[in-house]
Amino acid sequence: MVAHSTMPSGTRMPDAVAAKLEQLVLDGVIRPGQLLPSERRLCDKLGVSRASLREGLRVLRGKGIIETRQGRGSVVARLIPRRDDSPLMHLFRDHPRTLYDLLEVRALLEGESARLAAMRGTPADRVVIGHRYEAMANYVSQSDEIDVERLARYDHGFHLAICEASHNPVLVYTLQSLTDLLLSSVFASVKNLYHRPASRERINRQHERLYRAVIDQDAEGAQRAALEHLESIGDSLREIEAENERLVRAAMRLEAWQ
């Protein structure tokens, strides 16, 4: 739902309309692929004329932020490409070291997002985080045989919900832009660790600790839990390598996610 808003003064009205709608997209109030409310409703919520609204929407179409589809109205465009087939991304996917580099990046991003989520998360955010955590925990507890890809998606969804609760749109879109690579790192971790009872119990405890810290609004505890979780995964994978056991490097090539 779009809240009633006050347009900034000193700005041409269509530009002000466009700027307000852009902020709603950045804040996640209106999401990529979502149909915009009707013109009448937008005019009411934003307190502008239909002419100003239409001109503001034209500005957003020119920037590629919204798309108008025949018979459907206007929707927020996909802001991040589905896949990145650049040569750099192929290099990332095909080289073993990338797995550990990704864990370092996840520590940087997810450690801070956990801290911010505990500080800034709203009751609604905590409900979403709770649903994601429970879906993951219930699947683990009720499934005799774990589908690695399915669990990896539950795992990634839980961490992404925490990131979204940070209310830092740059942080959220940075993580979303790396979704394929991050999913592959989660997949590799689950594939190589979750069948080991000690590792499985440790990962489950770490997820619960992270969840509790965010829900309890313990910012430092949440950051610490996120960092300890990712450091533990890296250490465990290195131990497997030290034992000369083969990691599933094919997971980094992402065929499982396409």
Side-chain angles (χ1 to χ4, degrees):
M1 180 179 293
V2 180
H4 285 275
S5 305
T6 301
M7 290 293 104
S9 59
T11 304
R12 196 174 73 92
M13 186 55 69
D15 292 333
V17 170
K20 181 57 185 176
L21 290 172
E22 287 173 349
Q23 190 61 53
L24 292 172
V25 171
L26 282 174
D27 290 343
V29 177
I30 307 174
R31 295 176 177 271
Q34 182 177 337
L35 184 68
L36 293 182
S38 67
E39 287 188 356
R40 180 179 177 180
R41 186 168 179 78
L42 281 174
C43 288
D44 177 55
K45 293 296 185 182
L46 299 177
V48 298
S49 69
R50 185 161 293 191
S52 293
L53 175 66
R54 287 177 174 174
E55 182 64 18
L57 293 176
R58 190 190 66 77
V59 171
L60 294 183
R61 278 194 295 273
K63 294 180 177 181
I65 294 172
I66 66 170
E67 300 170 346
T68 300
R69 300 176 182 174
Q70 189 67 30
R72 275 201 63 194
S74 296
V75 299
V76 179
R78 178 174 291 278
L79 303 179
I80 299 169
R82 287 183 182 275
R83 293 184 57 197
D84 187 341
D85 287 323
S86 68
L88 179 61
M89 293 299 282
H90 283 298
L91 286 173
F92 282 164
R93 292 166 183 161
D94 292 341
H95 285 268
R97 174 66 205 178
T98 300
L99 177 58
Y100 299 107
D101 293 337
L102 275 170
L103 289 172
E104 290 179 0
V105 171
R106 286 184 62 190
L108 290 169
L109 298 177
E110 294 181 22
E112 183 63 9
S113 66
R115 186 182 74 83
L116 293 175
M119 291 173 58
R120 300 174 177 173
T122 66
D125 291 324
R126 289 189 283 275
V127 168
V128 173
I129 292 169
H131 287 330
R132 298 279 180 86
Y133 173 75
E134 288 167 9
M136 177 177 63
N138 288 340
Y139 178 68
V140 168
S141 65
Q142 296 174 6
S143 299
D144 294 330
E145 290 192 17
I146 298 295
D147 181 291
V148 173
E149 180 177 335
R150 186 173 179 183
L151 179 55
R153 290 191 180 278
Y154 280 134
D155 188 316
H156 179 67
F158 168 61
H159 288 285
L160 184 58
I162 291 174
C163 181
E164 289 174 340
S166 73
H167 291 275
N168 182 321
V170 176
L171 186 56
V172 173
Y173 283 110
T174 298
L175 274 174
Q176 289 179 336
S177 71
L178 296 172
T179 289
D180 277 352
L181 283 175
L182 293 177
L183 267 172
S184 72
S185 82
V186 175
F187 180 81
S189 301
V190 172
K191 179 74 173 178
N192 289 284
L193 299 177
Y194 216 78
H195 66 285
R196 299 163 177 261
S199 294
R200 180 170 61 249
E201 291 175 11
R202 183 166 56 250
I203 291 170
N204 290 343
R205 285 198 308 270
Q206 290 166 348
H207 279 152
E208 182 179 9
R209 193 176 303 128
L210 173 59
Y211 166 67
R212 295 296 175 193
V214 173
I215 295 300
D216 292 343
Q217 299 176 274
D218 177 3
E220 300 308 316
Q223 184 178 45
R224 185 166 55 251
L227 293 176
E228 288 176 355
H229 172 54
L230 292 164
E231 181 180 356
S232 172
I233 288 174
D235 289 344
S236 297
L237 292 174
R238 287 186 178 91
E239 286 177 11
I240 294 175
E241 284 192 322
E243 296 166 2
N244 295 318
E245 294 185 15
R246 181 177 177 271
L247 284 177
V248 183
R249 297 303 189 183
M252 301 306 298
R253 298 192 180 91
L254 302 175
E255 283 90 353
W257 308 107
Q258 297 172 16

